[in-house]
């Protein structure tokens, strides 16, 4: 009943959700025949369904390169994340990972569930990697080497200052932005973007994930993963894990708002990066995750549930973002709408309220100055819409029948 209740509350989610379901089915039918490529694309769907959808925007050659770039870095991240692997074992693997991707015989047992399968059968990834063009290989190797070194550094070092936080996020995500810019350039699709803007694209996504995943990371077994910088959280509590306790709820929310405000500093760079993109497929590939990030930050801001469970955008809203994002006008509109939602939640008594409002209003001015705000569908409902519930249920049943028929159709 939960899904039906959400549909009744947001009936305009239904059509985008159906389109998303159909797109997901199409991806399953387009898995390449070669065993190594079949493994890569199947594994991509298992470790990130959203990325597997977004990557479909790209042409075949670039899509293959980005798919492998993602899986190589996901494997590297699996090594870093596995807290059961001893530091003296983990660090040398991280430092040498950029060489392992050229060796189809290499694998390392770590991780859990789908990530364990990725690591156990990494030879498929290496085999596919060796089929890429030299320009793609060199870009992926370079970023993997730099990221592995950065991860190794922060296994031996805690995130103390905001500078440390920015440096860590650069290694694990900013470098992804730099790498993707290199792949777009190697494909002859885009000019090479500046390192600064590319880095901000990665940092905005990574900081959003770190904020959203606080509870999962702090409860990690056998050892907590702690990425929030001490310079921020120590203003509110004595230990980072104290934020999850109910008696610290007020301080926890203030700390959360401080973290969100820190992330907002990257918004303007992200808009500049996306505005410079020329290829429509690359644009959509880059824009959808950024819109999801500002949407997630708006949801997390001033929300104690970040310390109690999972906070994420509803699937119907995600489907809308994927369906609607086609041009820079759509991006400006989405950033304006989600930043408006965040702005409406700012408590004037919050210690960082002035800084938060300043950053939100700066990006809203950029969006207004674009002249795009009158050209898009808003993500904000201006009033409670009245719908005939019987009609909505009937529509939902019809769409469910269509989807069931499509799902039952034999695969080609």
């Amino acid at each position: 009943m939960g899904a039906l209740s959400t549909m009744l509350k947001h009936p305009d989610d239904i059509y985008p959700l159906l389109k998303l379901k159909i797109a997901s089915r199409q991806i399953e039918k387009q898995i390449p025949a070669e065993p190594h490529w079949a493994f890569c694309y199947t594994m991509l769907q298992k470790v990130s369904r959203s990325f597997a959808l977004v990557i479909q925007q790209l042409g075949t050659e670039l899509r293959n390169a980005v798919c492998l770039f993602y899986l190589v870095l996901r494997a590297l991240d699996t090594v870093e994340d596995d807290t059961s692997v001893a530091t003296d074992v983990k660090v040398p693997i991280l430092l040498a990972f950029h060489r392992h991707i050229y060796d189809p015989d290499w694998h390392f047992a770590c991780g859990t569930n789908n990530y364990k399968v990725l690591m156990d059968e990494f030879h498929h990834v290496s085999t596919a990697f060796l089929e890429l063009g030299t320009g793609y290989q060199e870009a992926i190797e370079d970023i993997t080497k730099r990221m592995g070194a950065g991860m190794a550094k922060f296994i031996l070092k805690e995130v103390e200052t905001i500078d440390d936080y920015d440096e860590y996020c650069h290694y694990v995500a900013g470098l992804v932005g730099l790498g993707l810019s290199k792949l777009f350039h190697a494909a002859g699709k885009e000019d090479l973007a500046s390192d600064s803007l590319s880095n901000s694209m990665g940092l905005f996504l990574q900081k959003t994930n770190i904020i959203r995943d606080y509870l999962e990371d702090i409860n990690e077994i056998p050892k907590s993963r702690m990425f929030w910088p001490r310079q921020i959280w120590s203003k509110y509590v004595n230990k980072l894990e104290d934020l999850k306790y109910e008696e610290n709820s007020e301080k926890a929310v203030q700390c959360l708002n401080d973290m969100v405000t820190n992330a907002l500093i990257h918004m303007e760079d992200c808009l500049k990066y996306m505005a410079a993109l020329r290829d429509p497929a690359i644009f959509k590939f880059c824009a959808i995750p950024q819109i999801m990030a500002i949407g997630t930050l708006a949801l997390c801001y001033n929300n104690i549930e970040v310390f109690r469970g999972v906070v994420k955008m509803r699937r119907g809203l995600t489907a809308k973002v994927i369906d609607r994002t086609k041009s820079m006008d759509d991006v400006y509109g989405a950033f304006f709408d989600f930043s408006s939602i965040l702005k409406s939640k700012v408590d004037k008594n919050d210690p960082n309220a002035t800084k938060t409002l300043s950053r939100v209003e700066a990006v809203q001015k950029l969006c207004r100055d674009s002249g795009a705000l009158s050209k898009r569908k808003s993500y904000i409902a201006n009033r409670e819409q009245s719908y005939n519930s019987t009609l909505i249920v009937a529509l939902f049943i019809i769409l469910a029948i269509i989807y069931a028929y499509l799902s039952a159709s034999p695969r080609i």
Side-chain angles (χ1 to χ4, degrees):
M1 285 301 293
L4 180 57
S5 174
T6 303
M7 292 286 189
L8 291 173
K9 191 174 180 182
H10 305 281
D12 54 339
D13 288 359
I14 297 174
Y15 180 59
L17 273 170
L18 180 63
K19 289 180 71 175
L20 191 63
K21 289 283 188 183
I22 294 171
S24 297
R25 292 286 297 168
Q26 289 300 116
I27 292 172
E28 292 174 12
K29 294 177 182 180
Q30 293 169 0
I31 298 294
E34 300 92 332
H36 49 290
W37 285 109
F39 174 85
C40 291
Y41 278 99
T42 301
M43 184 54 58
L44 184 65
Q45 290 184 51
K46 291 179 178 178
V47 299
S48 180
R49 290 169 62 187
S50 58
F51 191 81
L53 276 168
V54 174
I55 201 177
Q56 296 305 312
Q57 313 300 323
L58 304 175
T60 304
E61 180 184 302
L62 183 56
R63 182 170 68 242
N64 286 344
V66 173
C67 173
L68 289 173
F69 185 46
Y70 184 90
L71 290 177
V72 165
L73 299 187
R74 178 59 75 180
L76 183 66
D77 188 57
T78 300
V79 176
E80 184 212 20
D81 279 352
D82 194 330
T83 53
S84 69
V85 178
T87 298
D88 61 342
V89 174
K90 183 182 293 188
V91 169
I93 293 173
L94 294 174
L95 293 173
F97 208 90
H98 64 287
R99 293 195 293 272
H100 296 320
I101 60 179
Y102 287 95
D103 181 4
D105 295 323
W106 183 86
H107 66 91
F108 177 70
C110 67
T112 58
N113 303 322
N114 290 322
Y115 301 104
K116 184 179 187 306
V117 177
L118 173 62
M119 298 306 298
D120 287 344
E121 300 189 41
F122 194 75
H123 62 279
H124 289 304
V125 178
S126 296
T127 300
F129 172 78
L130 293 173
E131 294 182 2
L132 295 178
T134 303
Y136 294 130
Q137 288 180 350
E138 289 175 350
I140 294 172
E141 178 189 1
D142 174 58
I143 297 301
T144 304
K145 180 179 180 179
R146 293 162 67 183
M147 185 178 291
M151 287 177 169
K153 176 178 179 178
F154 276 92
I155 282 174
L156 304 170
K157 170 189 170 89
E158 298 227 345
V159 180
E160 297 282 347
T161 67
I162 293 173
D163 284 345
D164 289 341
Y165 182 46
D166 285 342
E167 184 182 9
Y168 173 76
C169 289
H170 165 72
Y171 285 132
V172 301
L175 285 173
V176 178
L178 269 67
L180 287 171
S181 293
K182 287 186 175 185
L183 293 179
F184 301 155
H185 183 63
K189 300 289 187 180
E190 301 287 351
D191 294 332
L192 185 60
S194 73
D195 285 357
S196 175
L197 295 183
S198 300
N199 187 59
S200 283
M201 289 284 284
L203 263 62
F204 192 54
L205 299 182
Q206 182 65 19
K207 289 184 177 183
T208 299
N209 292 340
I210 285 174
I211 291 165
R212 181 199 61 199
D213 295 341
Y214 165 84
L215 193 63
E216 178 186 339
D217 289 338
I218 208 70
N219 289 336
E220 180 75 17
I221 296 173
K223 182 183 178 183
S224 295
R225 292 183 292 169
M226 296 185 283
F227 305 116
W228 290 31
R230 182 185 297 272
Q231 187 177 343
I232 289 180
W233 62 256
S234 64
K235 292 186 284 184
Y236 306 96
V237 288
N238 293 323
K239 294 184 290 185
L240 182 57
E241 57 264 34
D242 291 346
L243 294 171
K244 67 180 180 179
Y245 300 126
E246 193 168 345
E247 61 267 25
N248 297 320
S249 293
E250 182 179 351
K251 290 294 185 182
V253 169
Q254 290 177 353
C255 183
L256 168 64
N257 293 346
D258 203 341
M259 290 288 291
V260 172
T261 301
N262 172 274
L264 296 178
I265 200 169
H266 304 291
M267 289 193 296
E268 292 183 65
D269 275 357
C270 292
L271 290 174
K272 289 175 186 175
Y273 181 99
M274 290 183 282
L277 295 173
R278 300 176 310 206
D279 185 90
I282 290 175
F283 170 80
K284 190 164 185 176
F285 169 79
C286 292
I288 290 170
Q290 299 296 328
I291 294 174
M292 295 293 294
I294 182 58
T296 300
L297 289 178
L299 193 60
C300 289
Y301 184 84
N302 216 38
N303 188 352
I304 191 61
E305 290 305 311
V306 170
F307 305 99
R308 305 287 182 264
V310 179
V311 174
K312 62 180 181 180
M313 290 170 62
R314 69 179 190 276
R315 187 158 176 77
L317 185 53
T318 299
K320 264 196 234 178
V321 170
I322 293 172
D323 185 47
R324 290 182 182 179
T325 306
K326 298 178 175 67
S327 70
M328 198 61 206
D329 286 353
D330 301 319
V331 173
Y332 285 127
F335 265 69
F336 185 87
D337 285 347
F338 287 123
S339 62
S340 294
I341 292 171
L342 193 157
K343 184 179 179 180
S344 72
K345 297 166 71 176
V346 175
D347 181 346
K348 294 293 171 57
N349 295 317
D350 184 88
N352 292 282
T354 301
K355 188 187 295 183
T356 307
L357 290 171
S358 173
R359 289 179 182 172
V360 168
E361 288 165 1
V363 83
Q364 287 188 321
K365 181 179 185 302
L366 192 60
C367 294
R368 276 194 299 268
D369 291 347
S370 72
L373 298 187
S374 61
K375 305 175 186 177
R376 94 293 184 203
K377 293 181 181 178
S378 177
Y379 288 97
I380 301 175
N382 293 322
R383 62 185 184 276
E384 289 297 321
Q385 295 173 310
S386 176
Y387 296 94
N388 184 307
S389 59
T390 303
L391 185 62
I392 293 170
V393 172
L395 176 61
F396 181 75
I397 292 171
I398 292 169
L399 292 173
I401 292 170
I402 294 171
Y403 176 64
Y405 172 77
L406 291 170
S407 298
S409 299
R411 297 185 187 183
I412 298 173

